[in-house]
Amino acid sequence: MAKRPIFVPLHDGKRFVLERYVDFEWHAGFAKSQKQKSIRALHEMARREYDVQNPLEISSKSEDSLGVALSSFNLKFSTKKGRTLTVEAAFQGSKVFSNGGPYTDIFEKSPIEAKRDERLKNSGNLIKFSFFGEDWGLEPKTAFYDWLYINALLKNRNLIVDLVKRDGFSDIEFNPERSINCQARSAALFCALYHTDRLEDAIASRENFLSLYAGRVSDPHNPGPIRYLI
């Protein structure tokens, strides 16, 4: 058995993302087919226990082409200067450490090369993010990643129509004991903002976006059965 979160977008305008932890049968192994068995088991339990009727796995392991396209390794966007980046490369290349960064040449790398760049491990402590001259702090913990993902998604309008029909999101590779940022959570936040007509206002400025988190962000390393993340 394993425990993984499913992120549910909320429509009441007070809170935006509900994280529910699901116990399900884990199918061990690195093969894609094994991951997909685990995804199916996770979604079945989410339907049964939490009434999440139309869940979407967002990762390269998804059996749904929409979920594959929404993976940070595949989701791309163009900057004002005409550069095309994946969300993963943009996130990794924006990291600033005590001894170096941001390493913007990472922007040009493939997602897997970006994530494995040795400088990300050998440059000291992470101190902030800097994306084309705009700095983001490390708190709230997921704010920069969420902002980056949502802005990339807005430039892929063809994906939004089907995305906002879903009522829960998972990422089988995400383990909250080892990671903080999660593309499934970012997608749930997008849907919550979309359905409550808060999206345009939220992305109008960094200050507006950060205000979404005021008093609402829980510790991502303290999982429980139900948590309001934002």
Side-chain angles (χ1 to χ4, degrees):
M1 298 294 288
K3 186 188 295 284
R4 288 289 186 276
I6 192 154
F7 300 95
V8 179
L10 301 177
H11 300 172
D12 61 12
K14 298 177 182 179
R15 298 184 177 95
F16 300 114
V17 180
L18 174 64
E19 180 176 2
R20 290 189 179 272
Y21 274 77
V22 181
D23 290 304
F24 64 100
E25 182 181 359
W26 180 262
H27 297 268
F30 294 103
K32 187 175 182 178
S33 59
Q34 292 298 98
K35 299 287 187 182
Q36 291 176 339
K37 289 178 183 178
S38 293
I39 293 166
R40 289 196 293 270
L42 168 59
H43 286 183
E44 177 57 34
M45 293 305 294
R47 291 187 186 95
R48 187 181 307 174
E49 294 185 7
Y50 300 124
D51 198 32
V52 177
Q53 294 302 313
N54 197 14
L56 178 67
E57 167 70 15
I58 298 182
S59 74
S60 60
K61 307 301 188 300
S62 182
E63 294 184 278
D64 191 313
S65 60
L66 176 63
V68 174
L70 289 166
S71 164
S72 65
F73 276 38
N74 295 323
L75 188 62
K76 297 180 180 181
F77 64 99
S78 295
T79 67
K80 293 180 180 178
K81 295 183 178 180
R83 300 172 70 178
T84 300
L85 292 68
T86 63
V87 169
E88 186 66 30
F91 179 68
Q92 300 298 343
S94 298
K95 290 180 176 179
V96 180
F97 300 89
S98 54
N99 298 322
Y103 301 115
T104 55
D105 59 294
I106 290 177
F107 290 166
E108 311 300 329
K109 295 190 174 187
S110 70
I112 193 66
E113 290 173 334
K115 192 169 186 177
R116 292 178 178 175
D117 192 294
E118 287 297 319
R119 292 170 295 178
L120 302 177
K121 303 175 183 177
N122 302 323
S123 297
N125 294 325
L126 181 65
I127 58 173
K128 65 178 180 178
F129 300 94
S130 183
F131 186 65
F132 288 100
E134 184 171 77
D135 289 350
W136 290 73
L138 301 184
E139 295 287 344
K141 293 183 186 297
T142 69
F144 174 66
Y145 185 90
D146 290 338
W147 175 85
L148 191 63
Y149 188 95
I150 286 173
N151 274 273
L153 187 50
L154 282 169
K155 295 187 177 184
N156 290 268
R157 298 279 180 175
N158 59 309
L159 302 176
I160 294 174
V161 174
D162 290 327
L163 171 68
V164 296
K165 297 175 182 176
R166 304 305 183 102
D167 61 353
F169 303 94
S170 63
D171 177 356
I172 200 67
E173 301 288 4
F174 175 68
N175 185 338
E177 295 182 1
R178 299 197 301 263
S179 302
I180 293 173
N181 297 291
C182 179
Q183 54 205 0
R185 180 199 293 119
S186 300
L189 176 57
F190 178 93
C191 290
L193 293 172
Y194 176 92
H195 286 298
T196 56
D197 296 320
R198 298 282 298 277
L199 189 56
E200 184 175 345
D201 182 65
I203 64 167
S205 69
R206 182 181 61 174
E207 290 70 25
N208 283 11
F209 195 81
L210 290 174
S211 71
L212 299 173
Y213 297 78
R216 289 174 172 159
V217 177
S218 302
D219 181 358
H221 294 299
N222 183 29
I226 300 177
R227 292 194 299 129
Y228 291 100
L229 287 176
I230 178 172

